[in-house]
Coordinates of all heavy atoms in Angstrom, one line a residue:
Y11 N 23.3 13.9 15.4 CA 23.2 12.8 16.2 C 24.5 12.6 17.1 O 25.5 13.1 16.8 CB 22.9 11.5 15.4 CG 21.6 11.4 14.8 CD1 20.6 12.5 14.9 CD2 21.1 10.3 14.2 CE1 19.4 12.4 14.5 CE2 19.8 10.1 13.7 CZ 18.9 11.2 13.9 OH 17.7 11.0 13.5
T12 N 24.3 11.6 18.0 CA 25.5 11.2 18.9 C 26.5 10.4 18.1 O 26.2 9.8 17.1 CB 25.1 10.5 20.2 OG1 24.4 9.3 19.7 CG2 24.1 11.3 20.9
P13 N 27.8 10.4 18.6 CA 28.8 9.5 17.9 C 28.4 8.1 17.8 O 28.7 7.4 16.7 CB 30.0 9.7 18.8 CG 29.9 11.0 19.4 CD 28.3 11.1 19.6
A14 N 27.6 7.6 18.7 CA 27.2 6.2 18.6 C 26.6 5.8 17.3 O 26.9 4.8 16.6 CB 26.2 5.8 19.8
Y15 N 25.6 6.6 16.8 CA 25.0 6.2 15.6 C 25.9 6.6 14.4 O 25.9 5.9 13.4 CB 23.6 7.1 15.4 CG 23.0 6.9 14.0 CD1 22.3 5.7 13.8 CD2 23.1 7.8 13.1 CE1 21.8 5.5 12.5 CE2 22.6 7.6 11.8 CZ 21.9 6.4 11.5 OH 21.3 6.1 10.3
L16 N 26.6 7.6 14.5 CA 27.5 8.1 13.4 C 28.7 7.0 13.2 O 29.1 6.9 12.1 CB 28.2 9.4 13.7 CG 27.2 10.6 13.9 CD1 27.9 11.9 14.3 CD2 26.4 10.8 12.6
Y17 N 29.1 6.3 14.3 CA 30.0 5.2 14.0 C 29.4 4.1 13.2 O 30.1 3.4 12.3 CB 30.4 4.5 15.4 CG 31.1 5.5 16.3 CD1 31.0 5.3 17.7 CD2 31.8 6.5 15.9 CE1 31.6 6.1 18.7 CE2 32.5 7.4 16.8 CZ 32.4 7.1 18.2 OH 33.0 8.0 19.1
L18 N 28.0 3.9 13.2 CA 27.5 2.9 12.4 C 27.4 3.4 11.0 O 27.6 2.5 10.0 CB 26.0 2.7 12.9 CG 25.9 2.0 14.3 CD1 24.4 1.8 14.6 CD2 26.7 0.7 14.4
L19 N 27.3 4.7 10.8 CA 27.3 5.2 9.4 C 28.8 5.0 8.8 O 29.0 4.7 7.7 CB 27.0 6.7 9.4 CG 25.5 7.1 9.4 CD1 25.4 8.6 9.3 CD2 24.7 6.5 8.3
W20 N 29.8 5.2 9.7 CA 31.2 5.0 9.3 C 31.4 3.6 8.9 O 32.0 3.3 7.9 CB 32.1 5.4 10.4 CG 33.5 5.0 10.2 CD1 34.4 5.5 9.2 CD2 34.2 3.9 10.9 NE1 35.6 4.8 9.3 CE2 35.5 3.9 10.3 CE3 33.9 3.0 11.9 CZ2 36.5 2.9 10.7 CZ3 34.8 2.1 12.3 CH2 36.1 2.1 11.7
L21 N 30.9 2.6 9.6 CA 31.0 1.2 9.2 C 30.4 0.9 7.9 O 30.9 0.2 7.1 CB 30.4 0.4 10.4 CG 31.1 0.3 11.7 CD1 30.4 -0.6 12.7 CD2 32.5 -0.4 11.5
A22 N 29.2 1.6 7.7 CA 28.5 1.5 6.4 C 29.4 2.0 5.2 O 29.4 1.4 4.2 CB 27.2 2.1 6.4
T23 N 30.2 3.0 5.4 CA 31.0 3.6 4.4 C 32.1 2.6 4.0 O 32.7 2.7 2.9 CB 31.7 4.9 4.8 OG1 32.6 4.7 5.9 CG2 30.6 5.9 5.2
L24 N 32.5 1.6 4.9 CA 33.5 0.7 4.7 C 33.2 -0.3 3.5 O 34.0 -0.8 2.9 CB 33.9 0.0 5.9 CG 34.5 0.8 7.1 CD1 34.8 -0.1 8.2 CD2 35.7 1.6 6.6
V25 N 31.9 -0.4 3.3 CA 31.4 -1.3 2.2 C 30.6 -0.5 1.1 O 29.8 -1.0 0.4 CB 30.5 -2.4 2.7 CG1 31.4 -3.4 3.6 CG2 29.4 -1.9 3.6
D26 N 31.0 0.8 1.1 CA 30.4 1.6 0.1 C 30.6 1.2 -1.3 O 31.7 0.8 -1.7 CB 30.9 3.1 0.2 CG 30.2 4.1 -0.8 OD1 29.1 4.4 -0.5 OD2 30.8 4.4 -1.8
G27 N 29.5 1.1 -2.1 CA 29.6 0.6 -3.5 C 29.1 -0.7 -3.7 O 28.7 -1.1 -4.8
I28 N 29.0 -1.5 -2.6 CA 28.4 -2.9 -2.8 C 26.9 -2.8 -3.1 O 26.4 -3.5 -4.0 CB 28.6 -3.7 -1.5 CG1 30.1 -3.9 -1.3 CG2 27.9 -5.0 -1.5 CD1 30.5 -4.6 0.0
V29 N 26.2 -1.9 -2.4 CA 24.9 -1.6 -2.7 C 24.7 -0.1 -2.6 O 25.7 0.6 -2.3 CB 23.8 -2.3 -1.7 CG1 23.8 -3.8 -1.9 CG2 24.1 -1.8 -0.3
S30 N 23.6 0.5 -3.0 CA 23.4 2.0 -3.0 C 23.6 2.5 -1.5 O 23.3 1.8 -0.6 CB 22.0 2.3 -3.6 OG 21.0 2.1 -2.5
R31 N 24.0 3.8 -1.5 CA 24.2 4.4 -0.2 C 22.8 4.5 0.6 O 22.8 4.4 1.8 CB 24.7 5.7 -0.4 CG 26.1 5.7 -0.9 CD 26.8 7.1 -1.1 NE 28.1 7.1 -1.8 CZ 28.8 8.1 -2.0 NH1 28.4 9.3 -1.7 NH2 30.0 7.9 -2.6
V32 N 21.8 4.8 -0.1 CA 20.5 4.8 0.6 C 20.2 3.4 1.2 O 19.7 3.4 2.4 CB 19.4 5.2 -0.4 CG1 18.0 5.1 0.2 CG2 19.6 6.6 -1.1
T33 N 20.4 2.4 0.5 CA 20.2 1.1 1.1 C 21.1 0.8 2.2 O 20.7 0.2 3.3 CB 20.4 0.0 0.0 OG1 19.4 0.2 -1.1 CG2 20.2 -1.4 0.6
L34 N 22.4 1.1 2.2 CA 23.3 0.9 3.2 C 22.8 1.7 4.5 O 22.9 1.1 5.6 CB 24.7 1.4 2.9 CG 25.5 0.5 2.0 CD1 26.8 1.2 1.5 CD2 25.8 -0.9 2.8
I35 N 22.4 2.9 4.4 CA 21.9 3.7 5.6 C 20.6 2.9 6.2 O 20.6 2.8 7.4 CB 21.6 5.0 5.2 CG1 22.9 5.8 4.8 CG2 20.9 5.8 6.3 CD1 22.7 7.2 4.1
K36 N 19.8 2.5 5.3 CA 18.5 1.9 5.9 C 18.8 0.5 6.4 O 18.1 0.1 7.4 CB 17.5 1.7 4.7 CG 16.9 3.1 4.2 CD 15.9 2.9 3.1 CE 15.3 4.3 2.8 NZ 14.3 4.2 1.7
L37 N 19.8 -0.2 6.0 CA 20.1 -1.5 6.5 C 20.6 -1.5 8.0 O 20.4 -2.4 8.7 CB 21.3 -2.2 5.6 CG 20.8 -2.8 4.3 CD1 22.0 -3.3 3.5 CD2 19.8 -3.9 4.5
I38 N 21.2 -0.3 8.3 CA 21.5 -0.2 9.8 C 20.3 -0.3 10.6 O 20.3 -1.0 11.5 CB 22.2 1.2 10.0 CG1 23.5 1.3 9.2 CG2 22.4 1.5 11.5 CD1 24.1 2.7 9.2
S39 N 19.2 0.4 10.3 CA 18.0 0.3 11.0 C 17.3 -1.0 10.9 O 16.7 -1.5 11.9 CB 17.0 1.4 10.6 OG 17.6 2.7 10.8
I40 N 17.4 -1.6 9.8 CA 16.7 -2.9 9.5 C 17.4 -4.0 10.4 O 16.7 -4.9 10.9 CB 16.8 -3.3 8.1 CG1 15.9 -2.4 7.3 CG2 16.3 -4.8 7.9 CD1 16.0 -2.5 5.8
V41 N 18.7 -3.9 10.6 CA 19.4 -4.9 11.5 C 18.8 -4.8 12.9 O 18.5 -5.8 13.6 CB 20.9 -4.5 11.6 CG1 21.6 -5.3 12.7 CG2 21.6 -5.0 10.2
F42 N 18.4 -3.6 13.3 CA 17.9 -3.4 14.7 C 16.4 -3.7 14.7 O 15.9 -4.1 15.8 CB 18.1 -2.0 15.2 CG 19.6 -1.7 15.7 CD1 20.4 -1.3 14.8 CD2 19.9 -2.1 16.9 CE1 21.8 -1.1 15.2 CE2 21.2 -1.9 17.4 CZ 22.2 -1.4 16.5
D43 N 15.7 -3.6 13.5 CA 14.4 -4.3 13.5 C 14.4 -5.8 13.8 O 13.6 -6.3 14.5 CB 13.8 -4.2 12.0 CG 13.4 -2.8 11.6 OD1 13.3 -1.9 12.5 OD2 13.2 -2.5 10.4
L44 N 15.5 -6.4 13.2 CA 15.7 -7.8 13.6 C 16.0 -8.1 15.0 O 15.5 -9.0 15.6 CB 16.8 -8.4 12.6 CG 16.5 -8.5 11.2 CD1 17.7 -8.8 10.4 CD2 15.4 -9.6 10.9
L45 N 16.8 -7.1 15.6 CA 17.1 -7.3 17.0 C 15.9 -7.1 17.9 O 15.7 -7.9 18.8 CB 18.2 -6.3 17.4 CG 18.7 -6.4 18.8 CD1 19.4 -7.7 19.1 CD2 19.8 -5.3 19.1
S46 N 15.1 -6.2 17.5 CA 13.8 -6.0 18.2 C 13.0 -7.3 18.1 O 12.4 -7.7 19.1 CB 13.0 -4.9 17.6 OG 13.6 -3.6 17.9
A47 N 12.8 -7.9 17.0 CA 12.1 -9.1 16.7 C 12.6 -10.2 17.6 O 11.9 -11.0 18.1 CB 12.1 -9.5 15.3
F48 N 13.9 -10.3 17.7 CA 14.6 -11.3 18.5 C 14.2 -11.2 20.0 O 13.9 -12.2 20.6 CB 16.1 -11.2 18.4 CG 16.9 -12.1 19.3 CD1 17.0 -13.4 19.2 CD2 17.5 -11.5 20.5 CE1 17.6 -14.2 20.1 CE2 18.2 -12.3 21.4 CZ 18.3 -13.6 21.2
F49 N 14.2 -10.0 20.5 CA 13.9 -9.8 21.9 C 12.4 -10.0 22.2 O 12.0 -10.4 23.3 CB 14.4 -8.5 22.4 CG 15.8 -8.5 22.9 CD1 16.8 -7.9 22.1 CD2 16.3 -9.3 24.0 CE1 18.2 -8.0 22.5 CE2 17.6 -9.3 24.4 CZ 18.6 -8.7 23.7
I50 N 11.6 -9.7 21.2 CA 10.1 -9.9 21.4 C 10.0 -11.4 21.4 O 9.1 -11.9 22.1 CB 9.3 -9.3 20.2 CG1 9.3 -7.7 20.5 CG2 8.0 -9.8 20.1 CD1 8.6 -6.9 19.4
Y51 N 10.6 -12.1 20.6 CA 10.6 -13.6 20.7 C 11.0 -14.1 22.1 O 10.3 -14.9 22.7 CB 11.5 -14.2 19.7 CG 11.6 -15.7 19.7 CD1 10.7 -16.5 18.9 CD2 12.5 -16.4 20.5 CE1 10.7 -17.9 18.9 CE2 12.4 -17.8 20.5 CZ 11.6 -18.6 19.7 OH 11.6 -19.9 19.8
K52 N 12.1 -13.6 22.6 CA 12.6 -14.0 24.0 C 11.5 -13.6 25.0 O 11.3 -14.4 25.9 CB 13.9 -13.3 24.2 CG 15.0 -13.7 23.3 CD 15.6 -15.0 23.6 CE 16.4 -15.1 24.9 NZ 17.0 -16.4 25.2
I53 N 11.0 -12.4 24.9 CA 10.0 -12.0 26.0 C 8.8 -12.8 25.9 O 8.3 -13.3 26.9 CB 9.6 -10.4 25.7 CG1 10.9 -9.6 26.1 CG2 8.4 -10.1 26.6 CD1 10.7 -8.1 25.6
T54 N 8.3 -13.0 24.7 CA 7.0 -13.8 24.6 C 7.2 -15.3 25.0 O 6.3 -15.9 25.5 CB 6.5 -13.7 23.1 OG1 6.5 -12.3 22.7 CG2 5.0 -14.2 23.0
W55 N 8.4 -15.8 24.7 CA 8.7 -17.2 25.1 C 8.5 -17.3 26.6 O 8.2 -18.5 27.1 CB 10.2 -17.5 24.7 CG 10.6 -18.8 25.1 CD1 11.2 -19.3 26.3 CD2 10.5 -20.0 24.3 NE1 11.4 -20.7 26.2 CE2 11.0 -21.1 25.0 CE3 10.0 -20.2 23.0 CZ2 11.1 -22.4 24.5 CZ3 10.1 -21.5 22.5 CH2 10.6 -22.6 23.3

């Protein structure tokens, strides 16, 4: 992958141990699920 995504993985490592690593990796994508939902709200508005 490009550095852009890998930087997000690096940010996740800064809070390693708070939750499982699998969850931390998935939370990156879930944040963007929320961003998608936000813009769908804006578009439909």
Side-chain angles (χ1 to χ4, degrees):
Y11 283 15
T12 61
Y15 178 75
L16 299 177
Y17 297 151
L18 296 181
L19 280 184
W20 168 71
L21 288 174
T23 66
L24 299 180
V25 291
D26 184 72
I28 295 179
V29 293
S30 72
R31 295 180 184 181
V32 175
T33 297
L34 280 174
I35 293 170
K36 291 181 177 181
L37 283 175
I38 295 171
S39 298
I40 292 172
V41 167
F42 285 91
D43 289 346
L44 291 168
L45 185 62
S46 292
F48 169 76
F49 277 108
I50 286 177
Y51 179 89
K52 297 284 286 183
I53 290 169
T54 314
W55 181 271

